[in-house]
Amino acid sequence: MNSTKVTLRINQDEPGASASSPSLLLSEEHAKRWNIPYRTPLTLSFGSARQEITVEPSTEGSFLQIDAKLAAKWGAKHEQLLSFVYKNSTKTIQLGPLIGVIVSRVNRNSSEMPFGTNTSFCYELSELCKSYGASIFFFTKEDVMSQSDSIKGWHYTDSWVRGRFPVPHIIYNRITSRRKERLPGVQQFVRYAKKRHNAVFFNEKYLNKTEVFEALKKEASLKPYLPESYPLRGSKMLKTMCSKYEVVFIKPINGSLGKGIVKVYRGGGPEQGYTSHVNNVTGIRAQTFSTLDKLYGSIAAKLKRSQHQIQRGLKLLSVNGRPIDFRALVQRGETGQWTITSIVARIAENNQFVSNVARGGTISTVKAALARTGSSAAAGGLSKLRRVSLLIAKGIDSQIPGHFAELGIDLAIDTQGRVWLIEVNAKPSKEDSSPLDQSGKARPSVKKFVQYAYFASGFNG
């Protein structure tokens, strides 16, 4: 189903005159295409909003005329381009799509950077939606009530301005705090929007490392890509893993940016003991212990504060001793299917065992990074990464409850050429430090989001 574009016109001269029955001036071509009757009461929907409407013939193009009061209620703008589809079974013209993006916070005192480092991403989304004929706004948990049919939010005209909007067709979850995401008010609103208004809500939630690995173990096709890992529940598990592998990693299950990871290295003989490596901003802090019990005791307090996962260490491809991993951005697109938007290589900084940019890692193309390893194990690496990325996205889809439309999938290739999963991120970064298209065009990842919003809301523009 393809949508049709219509231009919104707001009647400022006679407030209230058209509030009871706004008129859609529609060309004969469009009316015939959609089989829309003229001068017959129909329903116009915009997100959760409903309004009676009549359609009148037009020889000058297609316009929707509404009064200023209704425009304010809908967060609509004069001369705004919007898409519509007509459903004959319900005699309803659906206008939109209306997209709401829930964010962690808004700085109401900053008109230029209200969303902090995510402001340019929000602006990029707004401009692309404008060209597609979609409407988008941004809001926080403070802007919603659990069972309200309208939301206060921010949208971009010539600047960022406040407005009120219906519950949208699409709610895109960009809350970057696990604690805020779990707040009862947020969860109640999401349940209401989904149940009462059939809103599509994604990305549903943060994922933790243990949840991902335990779920993907259920997929036989994915087991070859999962390094052995378990929830760490005591020193016995540490001893078992260290007896099997020379290196193991202990990771916070809700960690990000490489924070809090402990690398445990077993010496060449019993007399050499065990060494723990903890990364920080200045490099690696290493401590050696004669027994695993002593090593475990040194990190016991950390383990009590949060849950951790223990995972087999891998011998990864490297560049001059600096390990490489890969970030694949996998998204749903205009057909609703998972597709790969991009894959980049990340090369760890000297004296670091994680490759995160926040820890000094550098970004490279996959082709260039693989070539720099000088290893025959790098052959065919890109095609392997692409295939495994899609398999993992589909595995997340089938094994973890919730609606996901984009995933950051971190992978590695070992010195034997085997691909391994490191972790899956349901909230890939959108900060201003992300590489923007220097031509001023929207990034492919942003285009794919808008295209999927059209698909998921039934507009397919």
Side-chain angles (χ1 to χ4, degrees):
M1 181 189 298
N2 293 318
S3 58
T4 297
K5 304 293 190 296
V6 63
T7 300
L8 199 65
R9 289 188 173 175
I10 299 174
N11 185 347
Q12 302 282 358
D13 299 327
E14 301 179 42
S18 60
S20 60
S21 185
S23 58
L24 174 62
L25 305 183
L26 195 62
S27 68
E28 183 177 345
E29 176 189 356
H30 289 330
K32 186 175 181 180
R33 175 192 172 193
W34 290 98
N35 196 27
I36 298 176
Y38 287 131
R39 302 185 180 92
T40 300
L42 302 174
T43 298
L44 179 72
S45 71
F46 184 53
S48 64
R50 300 289 184 274
Q51 180 70 41
E52 278 196 7
I53 191 174
T54 57
V55 178
E56 301 290 340
S58 169
T59 59
E60 300 179 0
S62 296
F63 306 97
L64 173 63
Q65 293 187 158
I66 60 175
D67 77 349
K69 183 177 180 181
L70 185 59
K73 187 177 178 180
W74 285 1
K77 302 182 287 290
H78 186 61
E79 295 295 324
Q80 181 178 3
L81 185 68
L82 290 171
S83 302
F84 79 82
V85 294
Y86 178 64
K87 292 192 173 181
N88 187 54
S89 59
T90 58
K91 305 299 181 187
T92 299
I93 296 173
Q94 291 186 335
L95 190 67
L98 178 60
I99 304 167
V101 182
I102 183 167
V103 297
S104 295
R105 65 186 67 85
V106 175
N107 182 355
R108 290 168 171 76
N109 297 319
S110 175
S111 58
E112 294 185 358
M113 296 281 288
F115 309 106
T117 56
N118 285 310
T119 300
S120 71
F121 167 69
C122 297
Y123 172 78
E124 192 177 0
L125 261 181
S126 299
E127 290 299 291
L128 188 62
C129 282
K130 185 190 299 184
S131 67
Y132 267 72
S135 182
I136 191 167
F137 67 97
F138 304 83
F139 65 103
T140 69
K141 62 181 181 61
E142 290 83 12
D143 295 320
V144 300
M145 297 179 64
S146 60
Q147 296 192 26
S148 173
D149 291 337
S150 67
I151 302 173
K152 293 178 181 178
W154 297 78
H155 62 156
Y156 192 84
T157 53
D158 294 327
S159 61
W160 291 104
V161 295
R162 190 91 158 132
R164 183 175 289 277
F165 306 85
V167 173
H169 300 104
I170 301 290
I171 302 173
Y172 180 26
N173 180 9
R174 288 304 308 176
I175 297 176
T176 54
S177 161
R178 294 175 189 268
R179 180 186 61 81
K180 289 184 178 181
E181 185 179 76
R182 291 193 297 261
L183 288 174
V186 173
Q187 294 301 312
Q188 290 168 10
F189 164 72
V190 170
R191 285 194 296 270
Y192 175 74
K194 289 166 66 175
K195 185 175 181 179
R196 177 72 176 83
H197 298 298
N198 295 316
V200 177
F201 181 71
F202 64 85
N203 278 344
E204 192 92 359
K205 62 178 182 177
Y206 269 103
L207 299 171
N208 72 59
K209 295 177 179 64
T210 297
E211 176 185 23
V212 167
F213 276 79
E214 292 302 305
L216 296 184
K217 285 177 184 177
K218 299 173 185 176
E219 292 279 333
S221 63
L222 293 178
K223 287 182 179 180
Y225 312 111
L226 306 178
E228 187 174 2
S229 60
Y230 306 96
L232 180 57
R233 296 196 173 98
S235 61
K236 184 178 179 181
M237 176 61 71
L238 176 62
K239 291 176 181 178
T240 299
M241 290 290 282
C242 285
S243 69
K244 297 175 68 174
Y245 304 110
E246 183 180 338
V247 175
V248 300
F249 286 91
I250 298 171
K251 305 177 180 181
I253 66 169
N254 291 319
S256 61
L257 304 177
K259 296 177 182 176
I261 297 177
V262 179
K263 178 182 179 182
V264 178
Y265 174 75
R266 185 183 68 208
E271 70 283 353
Q272 295 187 29
Y274 301 86
T275 302
S276 67
H277 302 257
V278 179
N279 62 9
N280 53 46
V281 292
T282 58
I284 301 295
R285 179 171 59 85
Q287 287 182 280
T288 299
F289 303 86
S290 58
T291 67
L292 277 176
D293 285 328
K294 291 181 179 179
L295 187 153
Y296 187 84
S298 73
I299 60 175
K302 177 199 295 281
L303 301 179
K304 285 181 180 179
R305 288 194 296 269
S306 61
Q307 294 177 294
H308 284 66
Q309 176 193 51
I310 187 167
Q311 189 173 89
R312 166 192 176 179
L314 303 166
K315 293 183 179 180
L316 304 183
L317 290 177
S318 62
V319 174
N320 299 323
R322 299 158 59 193
I324 306 170
D325 66 20
F326 307 89
R327 163 59 67 90
L329 178 60
V330 187
Q331 295 177 284
R332 295 183 186 276
E334 58 188 345
T335 65
Q337 302 300 309
W338 287 107
T339 59
I340 294 170
T341 304
S342 64
I343 304 181
V344 297
R346 304 183 300 187
I347 306 173
E349 179 61 279
N350 287 322
N351 300 319
Q352 286 284 344
F353 55 78
V354 296
S355 63
N356 304 76
V357 175
R359 299 287 173 183
T362 55
I363 301 295
S364 167
T365 65
V366 175
K367 184 178 180 180
L370 292 175
R372 290 177 65 189
T373 68
S375 172
S376 60
L382 180 56
S383 61
K384 293 178 189 176
L385 292 168
R386 293 181 65 86
R387 182 171 58 84
V388 175
S389 298
L390 290 174
L391 284 174
I392 289 170
K394 293 172 183 176
I396 293 289
D397 221 18
S398 62
Q399 295 297 337
I400 295 182
H403 189 134
F404 299 94
E406 65 177 2
L407 298 167
I409 300 176
D410 292 346
L411 301 165
I413 301 177
D414 69 14
T415 53
Q416 302 301 309
R418 186 172 173 182
V419 175
W420 297 93
L421 172 66
I422 299 176
E423 65 179 58
V424 178
N425 187 343
K427 305 285 184 71
S429 173
K430 305 295 182 185
E431 294 189 355
D432 288 352
S433 58
S434 300
L436 294 170
D437 187 322
Q438 298 304 309
S439 68
K441 296 179 180 179
R443 288 170 287 181
S445 60
V446 178
K447 287 184 180 180
K448 201 164 286 187
F449 161 74
V450 176
Q451 289 169 346
Y452 181 65
Y454 265 78
F455 172 84
S457 57
F459 283 79
N460 287 38

